[in-house]
Amino acid sequence: MEVDCIPFRETGYFSKLICDYLDQKKELIPFFNRFPNLDNFKDQLKEKAANYPVANRKILVNALNGQYVGFQVSDATAEKITLLEQKKTFTVVTGHQLNLFTGPLYFLYKIISTINLSEQLKSEYPEHDFVPIYWMATEDHDFDEINYFNFNGQKVQWNKDASGAVGSLSTEGLDSVMDTFASKIGNTDNANRLKSMFKSAYVEHSNLSDATRYLANELFGKYGLVIVDGDDAVLKQLLVPFAKKDIIGHEPFHKVSESIDALSTISSDYTIQVNPREINYFYLLNGIRERIVKKDDNFYVNNTEIEFSQSELLQELESYPERFSPNVIARPLYQEVILPNLCYIGGGGELAYWLELKSYFDSMDITFPMLLLRNSALLITEKELKKIEKLDLKVADLFLKQNSFINKKIREISNIDIDFSPQKKHLEEQFRNLYQLAEQTDKTFIGAVKAQEVKQKKGLDALEKRLLKAQKRKLKDHVVRMTDIQNELFPNKSLQERQLNFSTLYLEFGEQLIPNLIEHLQPLAHEFLIVKMS
């Protein structure tokens, strides 16, 4: 297995904000704590150690032990949970939705980045211990985002009427989804292992939260991955004082809004990922998860008849913290309150909204974690690599938009010169002389000269396009094979990791898939990886 890389900026798939962050643009420094490199973790360790209450460790470990009841816990995971009681132990966290059968391939990359960084930190700081954490987004309620995965270009979908937090959804009906999936993958040893995994996770567990925990534990338990469900009454007790500042004082609304305004002044190309609300909590009860809103002096739960006075709401929060579910703005703070965490690993969209949160964390006196862009990779099989080599393609060119990719390659392989740049340069030199002549004789002719130059340049452009089009027809077979391999590696003209499910690769590589990725993905590379699978 070989690994190459290209800068994220050159892929064309990452936002300006994220590329500028990776370049550590000085204007962005106020929006993050420390950039993730091994040396910077030294100060992050000190800051988090001073800021994380020792009492929280016991609460965390008790909650985790309760969450794992009924699951087979690997020795590595059991040891990591026990280590969390000790002051010298810290975490590295990633989070993800409860996508059916893990959803897109990058689910694996997130967790592998987290596992590998934990190992690197242990090598660099042997006096400490580091625990890789997968935070399950059990309280999300957008079922349509998670109820399918892609296999061979088709959706394998779970059709169900759903409301409320997805973690508590019954897995009833997933047996028929399993039958559909099983019919597509054959009966090889690898296919049968996939069927067994799907059945054990989704047919033999009663809710989506337990099913996802089982599956993630099955894939990564031997590496010591610890899975956290934030939908926990014991853990949410720690959130109560911060929830009060949000619901009553609107602290995050003001701070995050200021940060968004400040980011927007740096560049108009920065896309704001999420906007804060005056209250960043949902009310969670009996299959509903609806926003809490304030009208006049009372608080209401959207789309219900539930109503509280301020004193009643605060009493409800104290008595039943599990009924208060943080949104995308408040959840990161919750995570950092309950975990001795150093670093959050996420995709570009996630890091974009984390960059809005630093001043909010500062106002709450909670250490802001280091932000690491997860590994992204293009996995190329031997068969695909042979096609690329036979067509004499450069892997970096496959990232181009398809029309640009075709045009570039046609110019390279054509037996005639389709680049009219020399002719355009010669034309510009001729018109430079005409401009001088007009300047010396009659300046009113300058406009006419300019119009003629534009006209002739357009004529050359049109000839160039016609010639290129003719060559595309002549080299049609080559064009078809080029676009076929690009479409294979970039399905739906998107990154492979955003479309493929891990099952596609598991069918070929089986149980070696994850160990191979763990061996070759490099969390601190800060570049897009190209992995040639063997």
Side-chain angles (χ1 to χ4, degrees):
M1 187 181 287
E2 298 177 37
V3 179
D4 293 323
C5 55
I6 61 174
F8 280 104
R9 194 181 292 276
E10 292 180 13
T11 67
Y13 284 94
F14 292 83
S15 71
K16 176 174 170 56
L17 175 58
I18 293 304
C19 292
D20 286 352
Y21 171 67
L22 293 174
D23 291 341
Q24 301 179 62
K25 185 173 180 176
K26 64 180 182 180
E27 290 87 349
L28 289 176
I29 289 173
F31 300 93
F32 61 93
N33 201 0
R34 297 175 181 88
F35 191 76
N37 60 52
L38 283 177
D39 289 343
N40 283 347
F41 276 94
K42 182 178 181 180
D43 288 334
Q44 190 75 13
L45 278 160
K46 290 178 182 176
E47 183 179 349
K48 189 65 180 183
N51 191 254
Y52 183 73
V54 174
N56 287 15
R57 291 183 177 275
K58 186 73 173 177
I59 295 169
L60 175 63
V61 170
N62 287 342
L64 287 172
N65 284 327
Q67 290 181 16
Y68 271 94
V69 169
F71 291 87
Q72 187 172 354
V73 185
S74 70
D75 291 342
T77 295
E79 181 186 5
K80 295 290 189 185
I81 292 173
T82 301
L83 285 171
L84 283 167
E85 287 196 60
Q86 301 179 15
K87 292 181 184 179
K88 65 175 186 173
T89 302
F90 297 87
T91 64
V92 176
V93 178
T94 194
H96 197 66
Q97 295 169 295
L98 307 191
N99 295 73
L100 186 62
F101 213 41
T102 75
L105 185 59
Y106 66 74
F107 172 82
L108 266 61
Y109 300 164
K110 278 185 164 184
I111 292 181
I112 289 170
S113 298
T114 305
I115 291 167
N116 282 351
L117 180 58
S118 298
E119 291 298 316
Q120 278 187 265
L121 289 172
K122 181 62 178 175
S123 296
E124 186 73 13
Y125 302 98
E127 68 276 18
H128 294 286
D129 289 303
F130 303 91
V131 178
I133 300 282
Y134 162 41
W135 181 288
M136 294 194 299
T138 56
E139 294 179 64
D140 281 4
H141 60 252
D142 198 336
F143 180 67
D144 290 340
E145 285 190 3
I146 67 162
N147 68 345
Y148 70 94
F149 62 96
N150 294 316
F151 182 78
N152 284 349
Q154 295 182 319
K155 274 188 176 183
V156 179
Q157 189 159 343
W158 180 21
N159 295 309
K160 179 186 181 75
D161 290 329
S163 63
V166 295
S168 60
L169 289 177
S170 167
T171 53
E172 185 179 356
L174 279 170
D175 51 349
S176 62
V177 177
M178 187 192 78
D179 292 341
T180 300
F181 178 52
S183 69
K184 296 175 181 290
I185 63 175
N187 286 296
T188 64
D189 288 345
N190 290 341
N192 289 331
R193 279 194 286 271
L194 282 172
K195 293 173 194 176
S196 177
M197 259 192 280
F198 193 102
K199 181 181 179 183
S200 297
Y202 294 103
V203 179
E204 297 175 7
H205 289 89
S206 61
N207 62 59
L208 193 56
S209 179
D210 287 350
T212 305
R213 181 184 294 274
Y214 172 87
L215 183 57
N217 191 51
E218 183 72 10
L219 292 171
F220 296 106
K222 69 179 181 180
Y223 301 102
L225 181 71
V226 174
I227 302 163
V228 175
D229 183 353
D231 189 7
D232 186 299
V234 174
L235 293 177
K236 282 191 176 176
Q237 286 285 355
L238 300 176
L239 186 60
V240 169
F242 303 96
K244 286 180 181 178
K245 290 180 181 179
D246 185 309
I247 295 169
I248 306 303
H250 310 312
E251 186 82 13
F253 174 73
H254 299 301
K255 291 295 183 182
V256 178
S257 295
E258 290 169 4
S259 293
I260 289 172
D261 289 343
L263 282 166
S264 298
T265 63
I266 297 173
S267 173
S268 59
D269 292 326
Y270 288 172
T271 302
I272 300 306
Q273 201 69 18
V274 295
N275 285 291
R277 297 186 181 276
E278 289 194 340
I279 297 174
N280 294 284
Y281 282 83
F282 295 90
Y283 191 70
L284 188 64
L285 183 68
N286 297 332
I288 66 165
R289 185 179 186 245
E290 294 285 351
R291 285 196 302 118
I292 300 170
V293 295
K294 186 178 182 182
K295 295 177 184 176
D296 299 322
D297 293 327
N298 284 347
F299 295 83
Y300 300 83
V301 178
N302 256 5
N303 300 315
T304 74
E305 295 181 358
I306 301 172
E307 177 184 348
F308 301 97
S309 66
Q310 180 169 306
S311 61
E312 289 170 338
L313 187 70
L314 293 176
Q315 183 57 52
E316 183 84 353
L317 178 60
E318 291 283 356
S319 302
Y320 305 103
E322 69 275 14
R323 295 179 182 176
F324 292 78
S325 177
N327 72 358
V328 67
I329 293 290
R331 188 208 59 78
L333 186 89
Y334 176 33
Q335 169 190 299
E336 299 303 311
V337 165
I338 68 174
L339 295 173
N341 191 44
L342 304 174
C343 179
Y344 183 76
I345 298 178
E350 291 175 281
L351 263 54
Y353 73 71
W354 274 88
L355 289 169
E356 301 172 17
L357 305 179
K358 172 86 166 41
S359 64
Y360 163 39
F361 274 66
D362 291 345
S363 72
M364 297 289 183
D365 195 28
I366 298 295
T367 297
F368 195 65
M370 297 164 81
L371 303 177
L372 177 62
L373 185 63
R374 64 167 172 81
N375 277 139
S376 280
L378 174 64
L379 307 184
I380 305 176
T381 65
E382 283 188 9
K383 184 179 177 182
E384 290 164 338
L385 189 59
K386 285 177 182 176
K387 291 180 184 178
I388 292 169
E389 291 171 348
K390 190 173 182 179
L391 290 165
D392 195 26
L393 300 174
K394 296 173 184 164
V395 174
D397 287 343
L398 292 165
F399 286 83
L400 294 169
K401 300 300 181 187
Q402 193 157 96
N403 197 50
S404 300
F405 170 55
I406 294 169
N407 289 347
K408 184 176 189 293
K409 192 61 186 174
I410 290 297
R411 284 189 166 93
E412 287 176 6
I413 65 176
S414 178
N415 57 4
I416 59 173
D417 192 358
I418 309 176
D419 184 1
F420 281 14
S421 297
Q423 288 83 354
K424 291 173 186 175
K425 186 176 180 182
H426 180 64
L427 189 66
E428 287 169 358
E429 289 172 358
Q430 289 181 318
F431 272 92
R432 196 174 298 119
N433 294 330
L434 288 174
Y435 283 123
Q436 289 174 358
L437 185 61
E439 188 78 29
Q440 293 167 5
T441 55
D442 188 343
K443 292 184 179 180
T444 62
F445 278 99
I446 290 176
V449 173
K450 180 65 177 175
Q452 192 61 227
E453 181 185 16
V454 170
K455 181 180 178 181
Q456 292 197 32
K457 280 185 175 179
K458 283 183 177 178
L460 280 176
D461 287 340
L463 285 172
E464 187 176 358
K465 287 176 182 177
R466 285 184 65 182
L467 188 57
L468 189 60
K469 192 174 181 180
Q471 282 299 96
K472 285 182 187 178
R473 286 196 300 269
K474 187 175 179 181
L475 299 168
K476 182 180 177 182
D477 181 62
H478 199 95
V479 170
V480 168
R481 286 184 288 142
M482 284 167 48
T483 54
D484 280 349
I485 188 62
Q486 189 186 41
N487 291 337
E488 191 174 326
L489 292 169
F490 293 80
N492 292 329
K493 296 181 172 54
S494 178
L495 287 177
Q496 177 193 70
E497 63 188 35
R498 298 177 187 171
Q499 299 292 319
L500 260 61
N501 179 260
F502 86 98
S503 57
T504 301
L505 291 159
Y506 194 96
L507 284 174
E508 182 168 354
F509 298 102
E511 293 179 334
Q512 287 306 304
L513 174 63
I514 289 175
N516 282 343
L517 292 175
I518 282 180
E519 182 180 355
H520 290 95
L521 296 188
Q522 306 153 27
L524 297 177
H526 304 307
E527 291 192 296
F528 193 102
L529 303 177
I530 298 164
V531 182
K532 297 166 185 177
M533 307 283 285
S534 57

